[in-house]
Amino acid sequence: MAEAKSSPASEPTRRDMLFLATGAMGAAGVVALAVPFVRTLAPNAQTIAAGAPIEVDLTPIPEGQGIKLFWRGKLIFVRSRTKAEIEEAQKVNLASLPDPQADSARVKPGKENWLVIYGSCTHLGCIPGGSAAGEVRGDYNGWFCPCHGSHYDTSGRIRKGPAPTNLPVPPYAFLSDTKIRIG
Amino acid sequence: MSGPSSYVPKLGIAKWLDARLPLPRLMYDSFIAYPVPRNLNYFWTFGGILMLMLVSQILTGVILAMHYTPHATLAFTSVEGIMRDVEYGWLMRYMHANGASMFFIAVYIHIFRGLYYGSYKAPREVLWILGVIIFLLMMATAFMGYVLPWGQMSFWGATVITNLFSAFPIVGETIVTFLWGGYSVDNPTLTRFFSLHFLLPFMIFGVVILHVWALHVTGQNNPTGVEVKAVAKDTIPFTPYATIKDAFALVLFFAFFAYFLFFIPNYLGHADNYIPANPAVTPAHIVPEWYFLPFYAILRAVPDKLGGVLLMFAAIAVLVVLPWLDTSKVKSMSYRPLARQCFWAFAVTCVMLGWLGSRPAEGIYVTLSQLFTALYFAYFLIALPLLGLFETPKKLPGSIAESVLGKMKGGSGAVVGAAASAEPNTKG
Ligand code: HEM
Ligand code: FES
């Protein structure tokens, strides 16, 4: 910079002062402006509002089968589990799981026959098959993701394949024996 | 490479303009008088082909954008409208969709040309890195373009690829939400992808200009890898020699393009993309477009989500540092007996990875993907760094002229290894 020549005593000049002040102001301005630009990419008010809670009637779901529904743009599985499926889910040795979680932590007490989970594979977001009768359910009788071969068990826990975590449980509550509210 | 400008404006108006904005001079020096090595082969015509493919994509893209509706409920129908209702709409769309594939065929040949003849080595590192940036921008553009018709493959391709970013710890989920503008791939995702798909090709255009600028500073490499020593002996003017060769290759390439366009326009696509996007059902077998397959295979070779994503990005990042990984001073593989075999093994590796990327990720395919992923990286991280130290290269020709005309006429009798001594260059 110029100061080496213009002020041999290397004393800051007024131009240095101006340079620093302008630079700092400019940098602060760029950062302040970047924030609104990036914020525009976030989910907008309408998308967030579409996340209002929904109620689901469970009566039409036959035992051993499930339904799919959307909440907040995300797919949710609701499955009516058979006795055998519940037992299978409960007696697993937790230490053997990639993402250890007891079945009891994934269902509501006394309502073990209802499993409510997000339906997007935790690997890269495909929809695992196994909800409807006749779909491939994988090695653990739950769900199977065709994209890269993740196997989920009857509790929606990852057992085999590239997916890192279990299918998460969305926030929901039982309103009555046959009705839940998601959200 | 090009010395002082030899442009002499003849017309009065040309003189007038030359004193104010020497654009004709720039064109003359870059595309008429520009000296090119006299021994270039047809692999050097792909740069020009790429330039025209970019123009073709922009022309057809601008037309498509006039008839296309970027909305989740209308996009698919509007593309079908282009195919059925717009006059020659089918031609524009097929040119654009197949054009993307042709663009990638050309760029892969162009890249492998550079790998074989050592065009990434000094003094062309910046030129090479600009090329890698263009390649990255092309991949981003093609990925987002493929989302626009909003078919099943569009939707699930977008879902899988955007979800890659969720692998990053802590910030991953936020990044993905900001990419989507929601909680899943949906209308906000489509509209922002459309906007970016429109913008990126023009950014590519900008980087191409830098790429050509860098090329005209260092000059072209050539099949011997020996730098130009005497412009008068080793080079010929761009026009007419390179112009006609480029034009001829271009016509052949477009004939190849036309075959796909008019006879098998859907051969490189996926039938599933003619089914409208359905967020509740994933197609049984989702695969990306062919040009992404090798990288997809690397992604799936790793059983760990984050590991797979990192390795996939590393597969491209390694190209950026390649100029410093290859320790040999000899550029052209024609003079490197061992490296040359490794190069061909590498080429086969890439094809195998491409094939594996199209197979389901199970059983033997996973094992093979891992093997070939290891070989892919071994080429850059083991073979090239070590070979430069151990390999004895063949004797290089003394000059480009000597390699073409024989020792008598061109002979300057330079020794092996002189390849690295580039002629000092002045301006672009
Ligand atoms: C680097 C250059 C480009 C590449 C590699 C590229 C690639 C693609 C691809 C692969 C598709 C999907 C085609 C399909 O399967 O239907 C597509 C669609 C589209 N592109 Fe591009 N594109 C480029 C430039 C452009 C430009 C410059 C525009 C606009 C100015 C544009 C506008 C569109 C539109 C409107 C669509 C949707 C219609 C359709 O699917 O055919 N593209 N692009
Ligand atoms: S998305 Fe389900 S296994 Fe990859």
Side-chain angles (χ1 to χ4, degrees), chain B residues 198-221:
Chain B
F198 207 127
L199 168 72
L200 285 187
F202 295 91
M203 293 184 60
I204 294 179
F205 204 87
V207 186
V208 167
I209 290 176
L210 296 182
H211 191 72
V212 174
W213 185 9
L215 172 74
H216 285 202
V217 171
T218 61
Q220 281 158 295
N221 187 24

Side-chain angles (χ1 to χ4, degrees), chain B residues 53-54 57-68 79 82-83 92-94 96-101 103-104 137-139 141-150 154 194 197-202 204 269 273-274 289 291:
Chain B
M53 283 317 303
L54 179 60
Q57 289 305 96
I58 290 180
L59 283 182
T60 50
V62 167
I63 300 287
L64 288 172
M66 293 175 187
H67 302 279
Y68 170 81
V79 171
I82 292 172
M83 295 299 287
M92 295 300 137
R93 172 156 185 259
Y94 279 157
H96 198 74
N98 285 282
S101 279
F103 205 166
F104 276 93
L137 287 172
M138 275 175 67
M139 294 207 281
T141 308
F143 161 65
M144 290 194 263
Y146 195 58
V147 175
L148 302 184
W150 211 241
S154 300
F194 178 55
H197 183 73
F198 207 127
L199 168 72
L200 285 187
F202 295 91
I204 294 179
N273 224 24
Y274 283 103
E289 293 282 90
Y291 36 82

Side-chain angles (χ1 to χ4, degrees), chain A residues 41 68 73 122 124 127 148, chain B residues 156 163 184 192 280 282 296 305:
Chain A
L41 298 177
K68 300 182 197 175
T122 58
L124 295 175
I127 306 298
H148 319 98
Chain B
W156 292 104
N163 260 308
S184 60
R192 67 190 54 185
T282 307
Y296 195 56
K305 180 166 154 183

Side-chain angles (χ1 to χ4, degrees), chain A residues 38-44 47-48 68 70 72-75 121-128 144 146-149 161-162 164, chain B residues 156 159-160 163-164 166 177-178 180-184 186 188 192 279-284 286 296 299-300 303-305 361-362:
Chain A
V38 174
R39 291 295 305 178
T40 61
L41 298 177
N44 67 17
T47 310
I48 295 170
K68 300 182 197 175
F70 282 97
R72 273 186 144 195
K74 282 224 185 252
L75 195 66
C121 182
T122 58
H123 183 224
L124 295 175
C126 293
I127 306 298
F144 173 70
C147 287
H148 319 98
Chain B
W156 292 104
T159 299
V160 167
N163 260 308
L164 290 178
S166 71
T177 309
F178 273 66
W180 288 340
Y183 307 104
S184 60
D186 207 337
R192 67 190 54 185
V281 180
T282 307
I286 71 161
Y296 195 56
L299 167 77
R300 299 190 307 180
D304 177 68
K305 180 166 154 183
E362 55 198 33

